[in-house]
Amino acid sequence: RAGGRRSVGRACMPCTHAAYLRAAAECRTPCDAVALAADPSLGLSYEALLSICAARLVAATKASMGRHRAKAAAITQRYEGGAHLVAIASELDLPPTMLARVVLEERYSLRKGAKGRHGAGALLRSPSLIDDPRLRSEVAAAVASDAAYGPAVDAARRLTGLQQELVLSQELRARGIPFLSEEQLRERGEAKTPDALLPVPLLVRGRQVHWVDSK
């Protein structure tokens, strides 16, 4: 994103607003991404489409988590009745890791959304800490089956983010564009820390760009 909405990808491929809207509407699964990437009229790479698909899933999950948490007791009762976490997640159209989080919060009376050792995240990262053998196995299976959420996905996302930040800084330096990095902005105590703040704005497609985020 540049100054708000310009994507900075592997090859900085141009993307029209219409193409983005179509991709956001049609790209629901990795299989959809494969099909849409083969469409030359769209002009989006498979990687870009996967990113759009993931963003769509994350937004939908955030919007629905409150509703699922409100039914945590009923969901947990279904699990305790013999249903598998992955099967319940599929039925509710919820990522398995997030379904496991709901059940863990209910089962152990954990504060909703709490982080650190007092939250469900610690049990998702280390299912071996769960004292119930069946729940331990179910949570491990849910995390392993989830391509959008979970400790491994978070680690991959962080590494990808660092890689793209490096690519962005290299591209800006290669073009002689002065910028302040996110680390430099943090050292200065700035409240907003984009990947690159441009002291001298650039004119891109008729609009001024003051900052760039790699996504």
Side-chain angles (χ1 to χ4, degrees):
R1 295 181 304 173
R5 278 298 170 198
R6 184 172 181 267
S7 295
V8 179
R10 183 180 58 180
C12 295
M13 296 178 63
C15 174
T16 66
H17 185 59
Y20 174 81
L21 290 178
R22 180 186 163 195
E26 298 180 16
C27 194
R28 297 173 178 269
T29 68
C31 290
D32 294 335
V34 172
L36 290 169
D39 184 348
S41 67
L42 197 59
L44 288 171
S45 68
Y46 173 69
E47 291 81 2
L49 289 161
L50 273 184
S51 179
I52 291 172
C53 182
R56 189 180 189 282
L57 175 61
V58 168
T61 300
K62 287 182 177 178
S64 67
M65 275 302 288
R67 183 173 72 253
H68 292 304
R69 280 190 167 120
K71 299 178 180 179
I75 292 172
T76 302
Q77 188 175 19
R78 286 189 59 192
Y79 159 74
E80 292 175 343
H84 296 292
L85 293 182
V86 173
I88 299 173
S90 178
E91 181 182 327
L92 298 178
D93 196 23
L94 188 66
T97 297
M98 301 308 289
L99 189 281
R101 179 181 290 275
V102 170
V103 172
L104 287 169
E105 290 173 346
E106 177 68 19
R107 185 77 174 270
Y108 293 103
S109 300
L110 300 172
R111 188 160 59 88
K112 306 295 187 291
K115 297 182 179 181
R117 60 189 181 89
H118 299 296
L123 300 178
L124 293 171
R125 287 190 295 273
S126 302
S128 60
L129 298 175
I130 300 172
D131 54 11
D132 181 272
R134 181 186 170 227
L135 184 56
R136 184 190 312 136
S137 175
E138 288 276 343
V139 169
V143 171
S145 69
D146 200 330
Y149 283 89
V153 176
D154 290 342
R157 188 177 290 122
R158 283 194 296 272
L159 289 173
T160 301
L162 291 172
Q163 180 186 40
Q164 292 305 311
E165 287 175 19
L166 177 61
V167 170
L168 172 62
S169 63
Q170 290 174 338
E171 290 287 342
L172 292 173
R173 289 192 182 97
R175 287 164 172 73
I177 300 173
F179 70 95
L180 293 173
S181 68
E182 183 177 5
E183 183 178 351
Q184 290 172 314
L185 293 171
R186 283 204 181 100
E187 290 175 351
R188 289 171 49 167
E190 299 288 345
K192 295 182 179 180
T193 56
D195 291 336
L197 179 67
L198 308 179
V200 181
L202 297 177
L203 190 64
V204 179
R205 298 177 185 174
R207 60 177 292 187
Q208 282 192 348
V209 173
H210 298 266
W211 54 267
V212 183
D213 254 341
S214 58
K215 297 295 181 185

